[in-house]
Amino acid sequence: MEEWLRRENKLKASVNPLDRLWPEYESLGDRETTGLLVACAGLRLSGYESAGAGPSAGLVPDQRQSRLLDRTLELAGEGDARAVFTTLLERWLRTHVRQITTTPQQLAELMAEVAALNHSAPVHSVLDPACGTGTLLAAAGRWWSGASDSVLRFLGQDSDPVLVNLASARLLVDGFAEKDLSNLSLVADDTLRRAAHAGTPADVVLCNPPANERDWGHSELATDPRWVYGQPPRTESELAWVQHAVAALAPGGVAVLVLPPAVAARRAGRRIRAGLLRAGVLRAVIALPPGAAPPYGVGLHLWVLRAGSVAEESDGSPAELTLVDTTYAMPPGAAEKTGIDWASVTAQVKNVLSGTKTPGSVSVPVVDLLDEQVDLTPARHIPKTRAATIVDLRRFWSRFDNHLSELRHAAGVLSELAPAEQDEAVPLIGIGELERAGALEIRAGQGLPEALVRRGERQEGEARVLTGPLIEQPQLWLPASAVARGQQDGSLTVTASQDIVVSALARAFDVQVDTDAPSVLGPQLSALRVNPAVLDPWFLAGCLRAPANARRAGTHASTTSRIDVRRLQVPRLPLEEQRRYGEIHRKITVFERELQDMKKVGAELGRSLGDLLAAGQLRRA
């Protein structure tokens, strides 16, 4: 078929062989079967399975699966075996993104660097007690493998056998395993209930443990010797993971954990936090910007812990806790709009942990933290400097004035409009009828390749991603290659300039003309593409978003009712009259946008003025 398409000049882009291969993997079975087959592919690509040395992937391939693995090997023989396995793993993770939480690569690299800054001695072993697919162990391998004469040992555990096998395959493909696999020990079991490496202290622990667990073994582990700093309450599973990590460290070892921000302040955990501080185990708490890792709307924390050596015990515990807020120089919501500047975040953390005083950080005496709350949230202890507040104030006043000027201009035009005096009703026509007449085309949004969706500033060739309500959309992007593939195979809905985007959920109904096309639409959205010789898109959008129109077209089935786009109606008007109304709708759109933006900037102004007022630093210019 491809050859025929190529001869007929109908195939615009070359087909990646993996694009043909992956659907065959997906068709073989459920999540577990497909994941184990990807792990088998990794073992074969690494050469260990063919040598009879690799760990069992828990799957005995049948004839069909064996043929698919052989084809995978042939494909890798033509290129990079690591790239083939990485692509298969990414496709599998993308398919099951709602079931599996992974640590982003940039965060994994930052955690390894933080551990290195706190562990000056050679690192011989690294443990991840919730290893998942091995992202953190692979980051550790890139940082420490080959850094000393001894071989780096990888220790890992996870309750999901499929993830453990994928992590093993990843480390093998990356070349971190010895020929006899003596430096690799990854186990599938419940870590808190049955720690597989309890007798093997690790120099470094890197971990992104599961959060908000209730069934983590609270009753069964009531007398566990790991709870040196107090038995974790049932609601504080994260503090169980913290103490497990500390117990797993060799003397002088360092642990870096990703934790929800609530762990630093919840009342139920204050006794354990106080115990970690008094013992000098907790060395630093680093607040990350929202969007650093799932859940992306929350600013997670990194806790840096260090097991005391004999020398440190004789000298006494550290008298201070280092607190770092990497969101310090960013206004609220900036990470959502512009993405995380990982280079700046890493530089700030590196400077602070290296002993350089940096804005957005503070060293707080432990005795000052041992109050009734033992609140370790960095933002509560890092005051914003007067200079930073003044800069914010000037920037916000400038933005406020710009929005006010645009708002006055739009209001001046709109205030001159008045209702028409004629009582004669204008005939209406439904969107469904316009579609049948060929005046417009309706295209529904589709599921997105979430693993490829990126937050941050738009890079060249990327397309904007719209996923729900059109108001307050986060800045999401898809790479040009993914958009091209999606357009080619019809798996993505991509807009063109002047397409009308409709959010059809009744509780978030909205209509906008897409002036930033191309945009990729998620399943809650639809695109209307009009024939410009018949319809003006701005006129159509203005009529469709009228609340009365939406009420008539709603299904009213439940609280999740949708608007039936085809039941929406617009007046029958000549094209010139449509364009006149379309220009009015443009002005209404500008008026609403500037009003919203001015509201946000006004709130920022209020906060900046409040900070100065509370510091007694306000006076007339």
Side-chain angles (χ1 to χ4, degrees):
M1 186 179 295
E2 285 179 27
E3 288 298 327
W4 180 85
L5 289 170
R6 199 170 280 110
R7 286 197 306 269
E8 297 296 321
N9 199 28
K10 295 179 181 294
L11 197 61
K12 297 181 180 179
S14 59
V15 179
N16 185 338
L18 282 174
D19 291 335
R20 291 196 302 268
L21 202 62
W22 176 246
E24 295 189 49
Y25 273 87
E26 278 192 307
S27 68
L28 291 175
D30 54 16
R31 165 189 173 275
E32 286 73 19
T33 303
T34 308
L36 289 173
L37 196 65
V38 173
C40 283
L43 295 179
R44 289 200 178 185
L45 290 168
S46 65
Y48 283 89
E49 189 179 75
S50 61
S56 171
L59 177 71
V60 179
D62 58 24
Q63 187 176 9
R64 181 186 175 194
Q65 293 167 347
S66 295
R67 284 200 301 267
L68 183 54
L69 290 173
D70 290 339
R71 289 178 56 200
T72 305
L73 277 176
E74 292 174 8
L75 185 62
E78 301 171 4
D80 184 355
R82 184 177 181 276
V84 171
F85 172 74
T86 300
T87 301
L88 292 175
L89 178 58
E90 287 176 352
R91 293 287 182 92
W92 185 80
L93 289 172
R94 190 192 315 166
T95 304
H96 306 289
V97 67
R98 299 189 183 278
Q99 303 169 17
I100 301 167
T101 300
T102 58
T103 305
Q105 186 66 42
Q106 300 97 322
L107 178 57
E109 300 294 341
L110 174 63
M111 292 171 67
E113 185 160 3
V114 167
L117 289 168
N118 285 272
H119 194 288
S120 56
V123 173
H124 304 292
S125 58
V126 178
L127 166 68
D128 183 351
C131 65
T133 59
T135 306
L136 289 171
L137 290 174
R142 286 188 291 273
W143 193 268
W144 287 292
S145 187
S148 63
D149 295 335
S150 61
V151 175
L152 181 64
R153 189 172 185 198
F154 296 90
L155 312 172
Q157 188 168 349
D158 198 284
S159 59
D160 189 332
V162 178
L163 301 186
V164 170
N165 280 285
L166 287 167
S168 298
R170 185 182 214 158
L171 295 174
L172 293 171
V173 171
D174 284 347
F176 295 132
E178 292 294 291
K179 291 183 179 179
D180 58 357
L181 302 179
S182 57
N183 68 325
L184 203 66
S185 175
L186 272 67
V187 178
D189 206 343
D190 187 309
T191 298
L192 292 181
R193 288 182 171 92
R194 293 174 293 278
H197 304 101
T200 311
D203 295 322
V204 170
V205 173
L206 301 177
C207 188
N208 185 357
N212 299 318
E213 286 191 319
R214 292 295 181 266
D215 183 24
W216 56 270
H218 172 265
S219 301
E220 307 158 53
L221 302 172
T223 59
D224 197 283
R226 290 172 292 182
W227 313 149
V228 174
Y229 309 101
Q231 183 185 4
R234 185 182 299 277
T235 58
E236 294 288 335
S237 62
E238 297 88 356
L239 290 176
W241 284 97
V242 167
Q243 294 194 77
H244 171 80
V246 173
L249 289 173
V254 174
V256 182
L257 279 73
V258 183
L259 298 173
V263 180
R266 277 196 297 245
R267 187 172 180 82
R270 67 189 187 280
R271 184 164 61 91
I272 296 175
R273 293 195 298 271
L276 292 168
L277 288 174
R278 290 192 185 99
V281 171
L282 183 58
R283 299 300 181 94
V285 177
I286 302 167
L288 299 170
Y296 289 108
V298 178
L300 300 171
H301 288 179
L302 292 182
W303 279 29
V304 183
L305 306 113
R306 185 170 181 181
S309 63
V310 176
E312 287 175 331
E313 288 173 2
S314 63
D315 295 339
S317 62
E320 295 181 329
L321 175 71
T322 300
L323 299 171
V324 185
D325 185 359
T326 61
T327 68
Y328 177 78
M330 302 173 64
E336 287 285 322
K337 296 177 181 178
T338 62
I340 297 174
D341 184 350
W342 282 104
S344 298
V345 168
T346 303
Q348 180 185 359
V349 171
K350 184 176 180 179
N351 288 337
V352 173
L353 298 183
S354 299
T356 304
K357 289 186 177 181
T358 305
S361 66
V362 67
S363 293
V364 182
V366 167
V367 67
D368 292 347
L369 296 169
L370 297 175
D371 54 15
E372 292 184 359
Q373 300 298 323
V374 196
D375 191 338
L376 308 182
T377 306
R380 304 266 169 84
H381 302 278
I382 301 174
K384 202 164 187 180
T385 65
R386 177 176 177 274
T389 305
I390 290 174
V391 169
D392 287 346
L393 198 61
R394 289 171 179 167
R395 183 174 68 249
F396 291 141
W397 273 122
S398 176
R399 289 171 53 192
F400 185 86
D401 289 341
N402 290 336
H403 291 311
L404 186 59
S405 175
E406 292 290 335
L407 189 63
R408 281 174 175 160
H409 177 70
V413 174
L414 296 174
S415 63
E416 295 177 355
L417 301 175
E421 295 180 0
Q422 62 183 24
D423 294 330
E424 190 175 333
V426 179
L428 302 175
I429 184 171
I431 293 299
E433 188 176 346
L434 288 171
E435 182 187 26
R436 289 191 295 273
L440 57 80
E441 175 189 355
I442 303 175
R443 305 173 68 222
Q446 304 180 69
L448 301 168
E450 297 189 31
L452 296 180
V453 175
R454 190 186 63 79
R455 292 171 180 259
E457 285 194 52
R458 187 176 196 167
Q459 297 178 3
E460 187 177 356
E462 286 188 326
R464 181 178 61 158
V465 175
L466 301 177
T467 57
L470 301 177
I471 301 297
E472 297 293 332
Q473 271 281 331
Q475 295 291 319
L476 304 175
W477 312 99
L478 263 179
S481 56
V483 175
R485 285 197 303 269
Q487 282 186 295
Q488 186 178 20
D489 60 22
S491 62
L492 293 178
T493 301
V494 184
T495 65
S497 180
Q498 304 299 300
D499 278 1
I500 300 166
V501 180
V502 182
S503 173
L505 279 178
R507 58 180 172 78
F509 177 71
D510 198 5
V511 182
Q512 292 182 10
V513 177
D514 192 354
T515 57
D516 296 320
S519 299
V520 182
L521 303 187
Q524 307 293 345
L525 306 172
S526 296
L528 308 185
R529 183 166 298 172
V530 305
N531 179 352
V534 180
L535 290 172
D536 180 80
W538 286 92
F539 160 76
L540 191 64
C543 295
L544 295 184
R545 74 193 300 259
N549 204 356
R551 284 194 295 271
R552 286 195 297 267
T555 60
H556 307 293
S558 67
T559 55
T560 59
S561 62
R562 298 175 63 85
I563 303 299
D564 186 346
V565 176
R566 290 176 173 82
R567 292 173 59 186
L568 294 169
Q569 296 179 321
V570 297
R572 292 178 181 265
L573 293 176
L575 187 57
E576 285 304 316
E577 191 74 358
Q578 291 182 35
R579 288 170 179 162
R580 187 176 70 84
Y581 276 108
E583 284 302 314
I584 294 174
H585 179 53
R586 286 178 192 263
K587 288 297 180 184
I588 294 173
T589 301
V590 171
F591 180 81
E592 292 178 338
R593 185 185 65 239
E594 297 299 330
L595 200 60
Q596 289 288 336
D597 289 344
M598 196 167 71
K599 180 181 177 182
K600 295 176 189 174
V601 176
E604 297 290 355
L605 270 171
R607 280 191 281 268
S608 295
L609 289 168
D611 285 341
L612 289 170
L613 180 119
Q617 294 177 342
L618 273 180
R619 61 180 178 82
R620 289 187 180 275

